[in-house]
Amino acid sequence: MKTDIEIAQQATLKPIGEIAAGLNLSEEEWEPYGHTKAKLSDNLLNKFKDKADGKIILVTSINPTPAGEGKSTVTVGLGQALNRLGEKAVIALREPSLGPVMGMKGGAAGGGYSQVLPMEDINLHFTGDLHAITSANNALSAMIDNHIHRGNNLNIDPRRIEWKRVMDMNDRVLRQIVVGLGGPLRGVPREDGFNITVASEIMAILCLSTSLEDLKARIAKIVIGYSYDEEPVMVKDLKIEGALTLLLKDAIKPNLVQTIENTPAIIHGGPFANIAHGCNSIMATKTAAKLGDYVVTEAGFGADLGAEKFLDIKSRAGEFDTDAVVIVATVRALKMHGGVAKDNLTEENVDALKAGMKNLKKHIETIETYGLPYVVAINKFPTDTSAETGFIESWCESRGIGVALTDVWAKGGEGGIQLAEKIIEKTETPERNFKRLYELEETLETKIRKIAQTVYGADDIELSPKAKKQIIFYEQQGWGKLPVCMAKTQYSLSDDPSLLGRPEGFTISIREMRPSVGAGFIVVLTGDMMTMPGLPKNPAALNMDVTDDGKIVGLF
Amino acid sequence: MKTDIEIAQQATLKPIGEIAAGLNLSEEEWEPYGHTKAKLSDNLLNKFKDKADGKIILVTSINPTPAGEGKSTVTVGLGQALNRLGEKAVIALREPSLGPVMGMKGGAAGGGYSQVLPMEDINLHFTGDLHAITSANNALSAMIDNHIHRGNNLNIDPRRIEWKRVMDMNDRVLRQIVVGLGGPLRGVPREDGFNITVASEIMAILCLSTSLEDLKARIAKIVIGYSYDEEPVMVKDLKIEGALTLLLKDAIKPNLVQTIENTPAIIHGGPFANIAHGCNSIMATKTAAKLGDYVVTEAGFGADLGAEKFLDIKSRAGEFDTDAVVIVATVRALKMHGGVAKDNLTEENVDALKAGMKNLKKHIETIETYGLPYVVAINKFPTDTSAETGFIESWCESRGIGVALTDVWAKGGEGGIQLAEKIIEKTETPERNFKRLYELEETLETKIRKIAQTVYGADDIELSPKAKKQIIFYEQQGWGKLPVCMAKTQYSLSDDPSLLGRPEGFTISIREMRPSVGAGFIVVLTGDMMTMPGLPKNPAALNMDVTDDGKIVGLF
């Protein structure tokens, strides 16, 4: 079987100008980055503000397992299938982070015959957006420490700085560090730490901004920590929002590429869905909706994380409608949810599959709670048996649930035709009755409890003493009306990654919160969530190489 | 008077494809990055290996002062002037580092009507080369710490790791840090520190490599530290040279832009000249020499730093000839070397100028020691009086030294015609008799002493006990035949930045050394040199902004 990169290297890409022309973009509306990548003008949303939006299809999934669901692959495959049906579809995806690329096998560029290309660039530096975010984040850190070193006019308490440095790398030793050692030439010592870039509030801001102007206004509102009087200190107090916005002037422009079947794809912004809000940028999704009749976009991990944040944070900030949802499931992952060990997944096991269906059922209930039409997509793997896929199909059909078997990895858009037809139908039926899970006026505690009970299926939440104090303080500061962004393991509906299937009788432990006032939400950390990953024993980087004549090997 | 960015924003740039076509490059030999930047193929050197090189002109200067000399501006102006004379000239410059851009006013893109454009991109993220170097450097750091955390099969001594993390930022609190705090989930604690990216050995390697193949071979040889048995541990022991090279696959490609007068400029690689080797890449300079009849290139800071390293490190590794040298001086800086305080530089003061000439004289002697033909360029400032510029001209002429008054900031290439005519003449006369300052076979101590005595004018060198031990150890390891890369203040010929003019009777203190075996030199740290700068009290970033419609302000 060919690897993703072998398939990618045999593809024939169109010049990106042809893809742009196919979207009726004029020459001034895009800039080339190499022959197959482009940046779109950040002014398109303004230009097309009176044009009706295309239909927005959200792709989400069951809780992921090491077996993989291929949510990005289905997203790409569905976009390709819609195009094969003669519809004008545009795909909107997140940009991969270099940390996981170097750490674990698996990118965010889809796979097989449903990939976005050039995958080797998309998975490495792409057009530099993550680097620009890293620079802006760390320029702010340097300005904070320089301010303290140079007299600390703002009276910043070095013990209460919430703003961390970032690096787009999996690097556990940077989680907790001490900086400023070695005497007066080396600044004022304090405890600090690095997050991975995709967890930076600047990433969230970039993804939730609707213009350069909005970006700057949000950056100005970032709370970097507190003074000795326990008053919030903001970026605007440091007068650095202009420079930070300048560093992001190109990063805010959505990136245009194409799939292996030449379907246009806008790839922009890449927060993780476990420790951040997990969606590509509003500018990408809304620009795609202006350029296409259908937008296929994904939100990270399962519906408990990505979809919840897409519906309660992103689509609220972006003021757009979601027209239909695809819930991706795989036989392999459902068998794991049914208790099968990873090594035994290639054996047929309908009983385990049946037991694992409760995970899918929970996510279906969640999407129904939001009142959105949906289709279940079974993403086919070569080891699936017809008894297994047939079981899922009958299970859905007997409940009146739309279901489609997709084979987009092996067959590209052709393998997603059935899904495309069913999803078109869903976008055309009037069964949509969208309602958000919570209103902004509710208290932070209520918002967290609603998510935990309704989406995760928890009995209740348990707030740590620190979290309780933070809620009081945040509400005093006027931040109580913000949505919440849950940081929770992706592997379980609960906050314990070992509880697969559909856990019951659990509580969600809320350890602490962090105000992302610029992004416009409060991050709520559950369990042991860390905002900087580590590398595995044998990192994927060990297999990567580039030959003397420039051919890339080992990148998945 | 207009600022640099105002002048830049009024310029009319040609599409980069026209500039490439003017160099007879075919479509496959370059890739666009926006409409006015491009990456050139890294295969051009190989393709044109049998084509004769154009003439290479090195631009250097006296010791810089806060008054500024405008070496990059003269480099750009000279290239433009050569083109006005009908010669096919290509400029080769370094890429600016974001740290100083955010810190102090002053970029590396020239100024006035002798700028490379688009200056706002060049001075910010440009084509991402520095970000790629940062990523590769820090991926290596993460792999080292992960290796130790995961059992440490290579027996790496965490106390003897020489490889530091880097950031392209001026951030003093990162100079000395402790990482890995907080228990087993956060790795193994150790002392560490960040250098600025331009001081990374990977930057030096990128600049000294002649192909992708050479790049990988050099990366494999990087010494990251020592085992508990005090044996060197190299990147190839970690088996990560392939992945690091992959991260640099685009960064190794030289970048093509244009000047304000549409003269082609290749801007690639940007090590500082005080803490690193201070020259743009060999691939940039040699590619420029294949594409133009004249290459105008600069080396950082004064001739004691940049030119010495250009001639003893870069041109040796790149196996190319230097055809002539321009030594840039300004009335203002020479008056400072003659004892005038910075605030009084606008007043005519021929006596101080006369006293300051000794700094210029020393650098002239240095270039004469190398046996290269040269011209002194007086870079005119509006406050210079004709008595002052006339004094320098007579001083040179009475000694038979070629001299040219240049006014390239205000007049562009037109202001450099005289310099261009004189330098063409120098490249055509047979007075060249190039000899390097030292041979590789000499000991490290001899090499350092020769540089200190001949180039700096020191009485002798003084080795710290640590440096003495390192010399013995390095020679045992077989590293004694490498050239040395001096890390010394740019402000003085000595290692004391306060000693202007031409100090005498001083010794150079050698604090310690660092082996850059991959780059192919030994870094020698003198005085208090730090490899991570700090921000000033009022960083330049405070004045930077981008308006809602995308106009950039405050970037110089």
Side-chain angles (χ1 to χ4, degrees), chain A residues 177-246:
Chain A
I177 68 176
V178 174
V179 301
L181 298 173
L185 283 176
R186 293 170 178 81
V188 178
R190 66 178 180 90
E191 278 192 58
D192 194 18
F194 279 71
N195 292 331
I196 190 163
T197 298
V198 291
S200 170
E201 184 176 351
I202 292 183
M203 171 61 89
I205 288 174
L206 188 97
C207 289
L208 293 170
S209 295
T210 52
S211 66
L212 192 64
E213 184 179 358
D214 185 25
L215 179 75
K216 198 199 295 182
R218 288 172 178 269
I219 287 175
K221 287 191 288 185
I222 291 173
V223 173
I224 62 100
Y226 303 91
S227 68
Y228 283 105
D229 310 322
E230 298 186 38
E231 290 297 322
V233 179
M234 284 181 280
V235 165
K236 65 184 173 195
D237 299 321
L238 287 158
K239 300 182 172 57
I240 188 74
E241 66 272 24
L244 301 185
T245 306
L246 177 58

Side-chain angles (χ1 to χ4, degrees), chain A residues 32 34 121 125 131 135 146 150 165 171-173 175 178 180-181 185 216 247 249 535-537 545-546, chain B residues 32 34 121 125 131 135 146 150 165 171-173 175-176 178 180 185 216 247 249 535-537 545-546:
Chain A
D121 290 352
H125 308 290
H131 292 317
S135 292
N146 191 56
R150 299 278 183 185
R165 290 174 165 83
D171 197 347
R172 73 173 62 71
V173 301
R175 285 171 181 158
V178 174
L181 298 173
L185 283 176
K216 198 199 295 182
L247 285 169
K249 74 177 175 63
L535 287 169
K537 173 112 182 155
D545 201 1
V546 53
Chain B
D121 290 352
H125 308 290
H131 292 316
S135 292
N146 191 55
R150 299 278 183 184
R165 289 174 166 83
D171 196 347
R172 73 172 63 71
V173 300
R175 285 172 181 157
Q176 194 172 329
V178 173
L185 282 177
K216 199 198 293 180
L247 285 169
K249 74 176 175 65
L535 287 169
K537 173 111 182 155
D545 201 0
V546 53

Side-chain angles (χ1 to χ4, degrees), chain A residues 364 368 374-376 393 395-403 426:
Chain A
I364 289 174
E368 287 176 347
Y374 62 92
V375 175
V376 170
E393 288 173 306
W395 186 95
C396 289
E397 283 158 6
S398 68
R399 287 162 176 80
I401 293 170
V403 61
K426 288 290 178 188

Side-chain angles (χ1 to χ4, degrees), chain A residues 135-154:
Chain A
S135 292
N137 185 103
N138 294 340
L140 175 52
S141 292
M143 296 291 292
I144 293 168
D145 280 303
N146 191 56
H147 181 90
I148 295 170
H149 176 71
R150 299 278 183 185
N152 199 6
N153 281 342
L154 291 173

Side-chain angles (χ1 to χ4, degrees), chain B residues 295-375:
Chain B
V295 179
V296 189
T297 188
E298 48 99 59
F301 296 128
D304 52 329
L305 288 169
E308 187 272 310
K309 294 164 184 173
F310 183 92
L311 297 168
D312 287 320
I313 298 174
K314 178 179 172 179
S315 75
R316 180 154 21 203
E319 299 177 342
F320 64 81
D321 292 331
T322 308
D323 292 275
V325 178
V326 174
I327 306 173
V328 178
T330 61
V331 166
R332 292 152 51 101
L334 288 170
K335 284 194 288 192
M336 276 197 83
H337 280 295
V340 176
K342 194 186 166 190
D343 291 342
N344 301 328
L345 289 173
T346 51
E347 294 163 26
E348 181 178 278
N349 190 335
V350 179
D351 288 342
L353 178 63
K354 189 172 171 181
M357 290 299 285
K358 59 192 172 187
N359 186 270
L360 173 59
K361 187 161 185 292
K362 178 71 190 91
H363 293 293
I364 289 174
E365 289 169 16
T366 295
I367 299 304
E368 287 177 347
T369 301
Y370 284 99
L372 290 172
Y374 63 92
V375 175

